[in-house]
Amino acid sequence: MDGLIRQFRVAYAATNGEQLAETLNPDIQAHSAKLRAIWGRGDLRSMTSDLNFLFYQDQSRFSVRLSKEETSGWVAIYTAYWKAIGEILAAEGLLGGSQSSWAKVYDAWKDVTLLTIRGYTNHDFENWTIPCLYVTGKYLRLFAMRADAERGLSSDNMDMDDLKDDFDPQAEEHKSLEDCARHLNRIFQVCASDRAPLEESRKWGVYYAVNLLFKTYFKLNSEPLSKNILRAISAGRADIPPIDKFPKSQQVTFKYYEGVLAFLEENYVEAEKHLEMAWLMCHRKAQRNLELILTYLIPCRLLTTHTLPSRQLLEPFPRLQKLFMPLARAIKKSDLRAFDVALRDGEDEFIKRRVYLTLERGRDIVLRNLLRKVFIAGGFEEAKDGAAPVRRTRIPITEFTAAVQMSSGEAIDSDEVECLMANMIYKSLMKGYIAHERGTVVLSKSGAFPGTGV
């Protein structure tokens, strides 16, 4: 414990928030030896005595004196931190015969988080220390997910004969994460409600807290709650520093979730704008993040500008290449059957990523390309009086019907094709009108298929 408080003193004297937050890092993989040393023999009385001496009786070794309020706040936090370390070591099987569970770890870390929040509301913690909120919030979420995963495994192993009338597995599935979301929201409120001048305000922690909430709400499938956060950010934007003043990592995460939320509301133009900003700012080595951004940016581009991903773009992302390249090839070849097969093969992943319905609309682009080929194959009308030749614009519906049948590999009648073409005209993918009585489609002499050069 002496080494931990020594780190605390150095960080506090330097007013270094990141260094101070490192004293609360519970990552057992990265700091196993350090956490074991802090836990020591697991003697609560000895630990309490050490803390009281280091904080109250040994003040001469502090280059900066803490107020009585601050001191009591930090003592409470490090006491809770010590207890949480014991639960973590036990849950990892590193304390010999002692055992614990991730639910107990979550509860212990929740105490650390609540005491840290209380430090800003009750104990006059200075605002440069807000990285401590980042660390406690980050690991609260991670421990909540591990607790829920552990609970799910234990419920799967329940004997089939056990009475379950009073137990709803669905309600218990994300019990810890739902509780975690409430505490993360408190962190957001602590940051957003600060009235100090911007230079020293807790508002600099707003986007970190928001991004934690986004990740949590998406895990809980609670997008409406994410929209509430966006509305709160929009309403208080005048009092929050501009987003471009925050670290790029926070900007990328926020823009990604803002784009995905617009995507889920089918506002593809707005979604493309946010996702493209996230893509351009994202570090080139952050492959996983780039892949997540492209997962939504590719369907956006398909619908907004009818742009297909290139092989070069997808080369670093084998999973996306497997999912999207068959669709891209089918669209280029105007192959309805190949498009349907590619959509079916990737159906599970597309549904999981919530892009299936958007990609399904890409079939209109395949059909547009197919009808365009029929139009081009129709050739030109005879030129009159030396005028430039004009493409044939009156095309029998039977020609389009034959093309659709060949491309889809299914029997389809002219009435259904006529309905499909009416839909193309309505969506401005084709310019013209249908002469039903004559069984003919009359296409525009200029720009029959907007945006394709024909």
Side-chain angles (χ1 to χ4, degrees), residues 24-196:
L24 292 174
N25 192 327
D27 188 346
I28 192 70
Q29 304 301 324
H31 304 289
S32 176
K34 172 188 167 184
L35 297 183
R36 285 171 184 251
I38 292 170
W39 178 248
R41 297 189 302 274
D43 184 350
L44 177 60
R45 180 178 295 179
S46 174
M47 181 276 303
T48 304
S49 176
D50 287 348
L51 276 181
N52 285 332
F53 173 76
L54 292 167
F55 271 100
Y56 290 108
Q57 299 172 34
D58 198 24
Q59 285 276 2
S60 59
R61 292 170 63 182
F62 271 98
S63 57
V64 179
R65 290 189 68 84
L66 279 68
S67 69
K68 191 173 180 180
E69 281 295 325
E70 283 182 282
T71 302
S72 64
W74 287 114
V75 167
I77 288 171
Y78 284 111
T79 301
Y81 177 64
W82 180 85
K83 292 177 180 177
I85 287 174
E87 296 293 350
I88 293 168
L89 292 171
E92 292 283 5
L94 300 176
L95 285 185
S98 299
Q99 291 186 338
S100 186
S101 66
W102 288 106
K104 290 181 179 178
V105 170
Y106 171 74
D107 288 336
W109 193 256
K110 180 168 68 174
D111 290 341
V112 177
T113 304
L114 293 177
L115 286 167
T116 306
I117 293 171
R118 198 173 300 154
Y120 296 92
T121 58
N122 294 8
H123 295 290
D124 304 326
F125 282 11
E126 296 186 42
N127 292 338
W128 62 265
T129 65
I130 58 170
C132 294
L133 280 175
Y134 302 168
V135 168
T136 54
K138 172 185 174 181
Y139 284 97
L140 185 70
R141 175 177 166 272
L142 295 176
F143 292 147
M145 289 192 293
R146 294 198 71 167
D148 287 334
E150 180 184 67
R151 191 179 298 109
L153 286 174
S154 63
S155 65
D156 288 343
N157 294 331
M158 287 173 65
D159 190 272
M160 293 298 291
D161 294 331
D162 287 350
L163 294 174
K164 300 180 184 178
D165 291 344
D166 59 345
F167 175 70
D168 179 4
Q170 294 298 320
E172 295 284 308
E173 186 179 0
H174 296 297
K175 178 183 176 182
S176 296
L177 197 60
E178 287 172 355
D179 183 61
C180 169
R182 288 188 283 273
H183 302 303
L184 293 179
N185 196 48
R186 286 189 63 189
I187 292 177
F188 169 69
Q189 295 297 337
V190 163
C191 293
S193 62
D194 191 23
R195 292 292 174 262

Side-chain angles (χ1 to χ4, degrees), residues 181-449:
R182 288 188 283 273
H183 302 303
L184 293 179
N185 196 48
R186 286 189 63 189
I187 292 177
F188 169 69
Q189 295 297 337
V190 163
C191 293
S193 62
D194 191 23
R195 292 292 174 262
L198 277 184
E199 299 77 27
E200 54 187 45
S201 173
R202 291 195 297 269
K203 284 188 167 69
W204 290 102
V206 161
Y207 281 106
Y208 191 94
V210 165
N211 291 337
L212 279 179
L213 280 169
F214 279 155
K215 291 176 183 179
T216 305
Y217 289 149
F218 269 70
K219 184 75 175 176
L220 294 170
N221 288 320
S222 299
E223 288 86 359
L225 294 177
S226 297
K227 292 170 192 171
N228 292 341
I229 294 294
L230 274 184
R231 281 192 284 270
I233 289 286
S234 297
R237 189 153 278 160
D239 298 324
I240 299 173
I243 189 170
D244 59 4
K245 302 297 182 185
F246 286 78
K248 271 194 175 179
S249 59
Q250 295 182 26
Q251 293 183 53
V252 170
T253 304
F254 181 78
K255 284 297 174 185
Y256 166 74
Y257 281 107
E258 194 173 17
V260 173
L261 286 169
F263 181 94
L264 296 176
E265 289 185 328
E266 301 184 6
N267 187 348
Y268 299 115
V269 174
E270 191 73 12
E272 182 183 358
K273 181 181 77 173
H274 296 306
L275 291 168
E276 188 169 0
M277 287 178 67
W279 169 262
L280 293 174
M281 287 189 293
C282 190
H283 197 285
R284 293 300 98 183
K285 291 184 179 179
Q287 291 291 299
R288 175 59 178 158
N289 291 344
L290 291 169
E291 182 176 309
L292 286 171
I293 294 167
L294 278 181
T295 300
Y296 295 95
L297 187 54
I298 288 172
C300 275
R301 284 283 181 85
L302 177 62
L303 292 193
T304 57
T305 60
H306 304 164
T307 304
L308 298 174
S310 65
R311 185 176 294 276
Q312 183 181 5
L313 174 69
L314 295 181
E315 192 172 355
F317 312 104
R319 189 184 69 85
L320 294 186
Q321 202 170 30
K322 181 182 177 182
L323 288 171
F324 288 118
M325 284 311 296
L327 291 172
R329 283 194 296 268
I331 292 172
K332 284 181 180 177
K333 293 180 180 179
S334 312
D335 191 333
L336 289 168
R337 180 174 176 77
F339 182 85
D340 292 339
V341 169
L343 197 63
R344 186 178 66 244
D345 289 346
E347 182 176 358
D348 290 344
E349 187 67 20
F350 292 144
I351 290 174
K352 179 183 175 183
R353 291 292 171 194
R354 292 170 278 207
V355 298
Y356 181 83
L357 294 177
T358 305
L359 289 171
E360 195 176 35
R361 297 182 185 183
R363 199 174 195 274
D364 290 341
I365 312 302
V366 186
L367 184 59
R368 189 276 310 272
N369 291 349
L370 180 64
L371 300 179
R372 178 177 175 271
K373 284 185 176 181
V374 174
F375 176 61
I376 293 172
F380 295 86
E381 296 176 351
E382 291 186 14
K384 297 180 181 179
D385 302 326
V390 178
R391 286 197 176 276
R392 184 177 62 136
T393 56
R394 298 175 183 273
I395 304 174
I397 290 176
T398 52
E399 293 184 19
F400 290 114
T401 303
V404 173
Q405 286 178 340
M406 290 176 63
S407 180
S408 66
E410 298 176 356
I412 186 170
D413 59 36
S414 295
D415 288 341
E416 192 171 346
V417 171
E418 192 175 317
C419 183
L420 290 172
M421 297 184 72
N423 200 32
M424 291 288 103
I425 294 169
Y426 173 75
K427 293 179 178 179
S428 299
L429 293 172
M430 188 170 79
K431 287 171 67 177
Y433 64 90
I434 299 170
H436 178 71
E437 296 80 4
R438 298 179 183 180
T440 302
V441 177
V442 181
L443 295 172
S444 171
K445 292 184 179 180
S446 59
F449 292 88

